[in-house]
Amino acid sequence: MHAPLVLCLVLFWATLMRALFVKADLLPATCARCGLRLERRALGDPVCACADER
Ligand SMILES: [Zn+2]
């Protein structure tokens, strides 16, 4: 079957579309490690702390 190929394509497109949305400011840029936003939009928002732990 073509299941692995289709899965690969869907994953590829999802990544590509997400990158486009982030670039268009429709979605906030998020950390690849923890999934939290890199920049605080409002006071008290949970943000990525990975960079601080380095
Ligand atoms: Zn992080």
Side-chain angles (χ1 to χ4, degrees):
M1 285 301 284
H2 298 296
L5 186 71
V6 170
L7 199 76
C8 214
L9 272 172
V10 168
L11 210 70
F12 171 74
W13 272 106
T15 310
L16 200 74
M17 284 304 161
R18 202 187 159 278
L20 284 174
F21 279 135
V22 169
K23 223 170 183 179
D25 267 338
L26 293 172
L27 283 171
T30 50
C31 175
R33 280 179 63 192
C34 61
L36 290 174
R37 289 176 189 183
L38 297 176
E39 288 173 5
R40 195 171 273 121
R41 287 282 169 102
L43 208 68
D45 266 1
V47 288
C48 166
C50 299
D52 300 334
E53 288 163 14
R54 256 184 250 141

